[in-house]
Amino acid sequence: MTHDIHVIGGGLAGSEAAWQLAEAGLKVRLSEMRGSGEETPAHQTDGLAELVCSNSFRSDDAEANAVGLLHQELRTLGSLIMRQADIHRVPAGSALAVDRDNFSASVTEAIDQHPNITLVRERIDALPDGPTIIATGPLTAASLAAGIGAETGREALAFFDALAPIVHRDSIDMDTAWFASRWDKGEGKDYINCPMDKDQYLAFHQGLIDGEKTPFKEWEKDTPYFDGCMPIEVMAERGVDTLRYGPMKPVGLDNPKTGRWPHAVVQLRQDNAQGTLWNIVGFQTKMKHADQVRLFRTIPGLENAEFARLGGLHRNTFIRSPELLDETLRLKSRPNIRFAGQITGCEGYIESCGIGMLAGLFAAAELTGKTLTPPPYATALGALLGHITGGAEVETYQPMNVNFGLFPPITGRTKKADRKRMYTDRGRAALAEWLNSPRQQAEPADNSPELAPSA
Ligand SMILES: Cc1cc2nc3c(=O)[nH]c(=O)nc-3n(C[C@H](O)[C@H](O)[C@H](O)COP(=O)(O)OP(=O)(O)OC[C@H]3O[C@@H](n4cnc5c(N)ncnc54)[C@H](O)[C@@H]3O)c2cc1C
């Protein structure tokens, strides 16, 4: 069968993208290297959509949780992954967890039997010339990663997540913390600063030394770039004052309460365009999540911090999407190629599935001579897409789970307890409006030439 489009990678994203394309009547070649004698360091089987670690798709609460809202949106849009997850659900409270083997087997069977999909067990080493979706995930084969790096520039391709924790802005106590840049440079208010006196600093330093760490997996040890992103606890082990000369340097930061530099300072930098999320600068860490929460809440100003993401350090191949991709996930330098799934810098099974679905829908519209308007930012899919294709700061771009911090903030006076519900109500209304609008147009809009179908 000749094909209209090539999907590379049969994980969560590639399987969903292939399904959406095939359902739209397009002929798809789906290439998956597992089953051809190739393997990744994490996958255990040859099945499509294998869940490499946990068997959970996380919260299924569509009223008060951004992940639950994403589940609901994907169900509404006819997701193969969500349909099979619901069929193979196992008890897990308000979470959606699945029998992983049956789930993967049923996705594989559905793909294999679809008359419009040819599943080929092969490794792809170079970027194809025709319409393509690359969904090769965090463990993309080295040969293809090299090809992607050659196209994007090597500095735009990361091999490691050096994740600093990210905090919701509205959970920071600004009576203690203050806005300032070192020596009042730049706008003078670019960072949120949390001051520490000597005793607080020494206790914090000891907490870093004592905290329980996640060990590196054998295959993570050899991954490049590790030296460039040293965990904060490793810095702490080098000496009691190392951090005060590094990420916790107080120099040039007058505390407005005392008019003096504190003993040490923890700085947070804006992480998204809306200003709702702030990352703790230089705090990438291998500490276990519970210890991170406990220790980071001892930082003055962060006593009640709510974390959109905790720190981490592990192998993860991803591109600098906000710079490289357009709003429909096309590579700007080669618009015949789209990226989908975790390689775009979303994080997690269901987020990868969501971006796989969007890549499939965008490509299907384009190949049938239409354009598809991206979903509104107020939806979970739109918020996630916005983070990937423009909402995040390019230089500090790091993978991210879906969370309310990616959504446009709810404005006006609201009770904190009501806010999650307001996000999900607004998201549902926005999705309904999008579905009922003429979101697929036969002609590309005059003012958006980048949406024109590629050759
Ligand atoms: C060790 C580990 C543990 C994780 N644990 C969790 C977790 O508990 N929960 C969670 O939500 N997320 C977890 N993740 C993240 C998880 O990998 C992603 O959320 C999800 O699998 C990404 O989906 P994807 O389709 O983008 O990539 P994948 O599911 O990895 O699929 C990519 C596919 O592409 C194939 N491939 C790669 N290169 C080529 C090539 N050149 N040619 C052909 N095929 C190729 C691979 O074999 C693979 O099947 C974990 C990741 C790792 C590495």
Side-chain angles (χ1 to χ4, degrees):
M1 178 170 77
T2 56
H3 57 272
D4 300 309
I5 182 162
H6 191 175
V7 177
I8 309 176
L12 280 305
S15 299
E16 187 66 58
W19 183 262
Q20 296 302 327
L21 286 154
E23 289 287 281
L26 293 155
K27 302 284 184 205
V28 183
R29 179 185 187 96
L30 174 59
S31 299
E32 168 52 55
M33 70 177 184
R34 287 176 295 114
S36 70
E38 299 288 335
E39 48 187 31
T40 79
H43 292 81
Q44 304 288 320
T45 75
D46 292 342
L48 301 185
E50 179 184 329
L51 306 180
V52 287
C53 186
S54 154
N55 67 331
S56 173
F57 284 38
R58 317 203 309 282
S59 174
D60 203 29
D61 179 357
E63 304 300 320
N65 194 293
V67 184
L69 183 66
L70 180 57
H71 289 178
Q72 191 177 57
E73 291 177 4
L74 289 170
R75 288 185 181 107
T76 304
L77 290 171
S79 159
L80 169 69
I81 294 295
M82 283 306 295
R83 175 150 24 106
Q84 298 306 335
D86 285 334
I87 291 171
H88 298 291
R89 188 174 193 140
V90 296
S94 61
L96 172 60
V98 302
D99 176 314
R100 70 175 73 237
D101 291 334
N102 288 333
F103 165 75
S104 170
S106 64
V107 173
T108 308
E109 189 184 352
I111 293 278
D112 217 10
Q113 291 186 354
H114 199 295
N116 285 344
I117 303 178
T118 307
L119 173 60
V120 187
R121 301 293 186 159
E122 61 183 352
R123 191 186 75 202
I124 303 298
D125 292 333
L127 303 186
D129 290 328
T132 302
I133 294 178
I134 298 179
T136 45
L139 304 170
T140 294
S143 50
L144 183 61
I148 295 168
E151 176 65 30
T152 61
R154 207 175 146 71
E155 70 288 351
L157 181 69
F159 292 95
F160 242 112
D161 277 354
L163 302 178
I166 293 183
V167 179
H168 287 273
R169 161 73 180 79
D170 59 7
S171 69
I172 301 172
D173 175 10
M174 295 306 294
D175 288 337
T176 302
W178 78 98
F179 282 103
S181 297
R182 205 177 296 283
W183 305 115
D184 290 331
K185 283 194 179 146
E187 291 292 304
K189 290 186 183 301
D190 290 348
Y191 291 83
I192 293 178
N193 300 280
C194 299
M196 276 189 189
D197 63 25
K198 189 170 181 184
D199 288 344
Q200 288 165 334
Y201 175 77
L202 290 176
F204 183 76
H205 178 267
Q206 195 57 46
L208 288 173
I209 305 280
D210 294 343
E212 200 183 343
K213 321 290 183 322
T214 310
F216 275 105
K217 295 189 180 65
E218 206 44 49
W219 48 270
E220 285 178 323
K221 288 179 184 158
D222 304 327
T223 306
Y225 297 160
F226 171 56
D227 280 348
C229 45
M230 189 179 299
I232 185 164
E233 60 273 11
V234 175
M235 267 185 265
E237 279 164 10
R238 294 192 168 177
V240 72
D241 277 329
T242 304
L243 290 169
R244 291 184 62 240
Y245 290 95
M248 296 178 72
K249 189 164 64 175
V251 177
L253 289 166
D254 289 334
N255 184 344
K257 290 237 171 69
T258 62
R260 302 175 52 187
W261 302 345
H263 187 73
V265 171
V266 174
Q267 289 200 297
L268 293 97
R269 182 169 47 217
Q270 186 171 333
D271 201 82
N272 64 345
Q274 298 98 309
T276 51
L277 298 174
W278 289 68
N279 67 68
I280 312 185
V281 179
F283 270 38
Q284 56 272 7
T285 174
K286 290 285 281 181
M287 262 193 304
K288 294 214 161 155
H289 283 182
D291 279 17
Q292 288 188 44
V293 172
R294 199 166 33 244
L295 187 63
F296 295 154
R297 284 189 179 152
T298 66
I299 297 169
L302 300 188
E303 294 86 347
N304 298 309
E306 285 172 25
F307 294 93
R309 184 188 73 195
L310 285 159
L313 209 64
H314 61 87
R315 181 172 159 190
N316 189 2
T317 306
F318 65 96
I319 59 170
R320 208 187 279 170
S321 294
E323 185 183 0
L324 298 174
L325 303 184
D326 71 12
E327 63 171 355
T328 70
L329 298 163
R330 298 189 312 187
L331 192 59
K332 289 176 190 165
S333 62
R334 278 178 72 169
N336 62 312
I337 293 176
R338 280 189 165 81
F339 280 81
Q342 190 147 327
I343 195 168
T344 64
C346 62
E347 175 100 29
Y349 299 146
I350 204 61
E351 288 85 346
S352 298
C353 164
I355 296 302
M357 167 176 273
L358 288 179
L361 292 176
F362 286 137
E366 187 174 289
L367 290 167
T368 51
K370 301 170 193 146
T371 61
L372 176 63
T373 316
Y377 276 119
T379 62
L381 278 167
L384 194 58
L385 181 69
H387 169 71
I388 292 166
T389 60
E393 298 292 320
V394 171
E395 291 307 321
T396 58
Y397 184 60
Q398 286 290 343
M400 178 77 88
N401 289 124
V402 69
N403 67 79
F404 288 132
L406 301 182
F407 290 58
I410 299 276
T411 49
R413 284 167 66 86
T414 55
K415 281 199 208 134
K416 206 171 171 190
D418 296 338
R419 220 172 290 160
K420 291 178 178 170
R421 184 60 192 256
M422 292 170 80
Y423 276 115
T424 57
D425 282 350
R426 188 183 63 177
R428 267 186 290 279
L431 187 77
E433 199 178 325
W434 183 63
L435 289 173
N436 292 327
S437 68
R439 64 204 155 89
Q440 287 214 36
Q441 297 163 0
E443 298 287 333
D446 287 341
N447 61 354
S448 53
E450 75 275 16
L451 293 182
S454 62

